[in-house]
Amino acid sequence: MGKEKERFEYTTERRRQQELKRNASFSQGFNRATNGSLIDLVNGLGWKGLGILILLLLVVFTAFILF
């Protein structure tokens, strides 16, 4: 697969990984590797999963306000 046919998700993930390798200190890399990050969660879920997560958070927040 050539670079011109590479999917957008793969391109952004590759660039993010390169940036992390270039600019991350040891502690930042260690903490991110053990805890994960919001970007990893969103990329793993996709747009449907993210929509369900947001909807779930809104329902929980509304229930918290009402009770």
Side-chain angles (χ1 to χ4, degrees):
M1 182 185 311
K3 290 209 179 233
E4 63 277 348
K5 302 230 181 214
E6 190 174 36
R7 289 186 55 171
F8 177 73
E9 294 88 9
Y10 298 132
T11 304
T12 55
E13 180 65 23
R14 183 174 41 81
R15 287 182 183 163
R16 190 176 71 82
Q17 291 295 330
Q18 288 172 351
E19 187 69 24
L20 286 174
K21 286 179 186 176
R22 254 194 318 253
N23 295 329
S25 67
F26 178 75
S27 63
Q28 287 175 339
F30 180 75
N31 289 336
R32 186 167 288 150
T34 57
N35 298 330
S37 67
L38 184 60
I39 295 171
D40 295 332
L41 174 66
V42 171
N43 283 340
L45 289 176
W47 69 272
K48 290 179 186 176
L50 182 61
I52 292 170
L53 180 64
I54 291 171
L55 185 65
L56 180 66
L57 288 174
L58 288 174
V59 168
V60 169
F61 180 72
T62 305
F64 180 73
I65 295 296
L66 292 176
F67 300 111

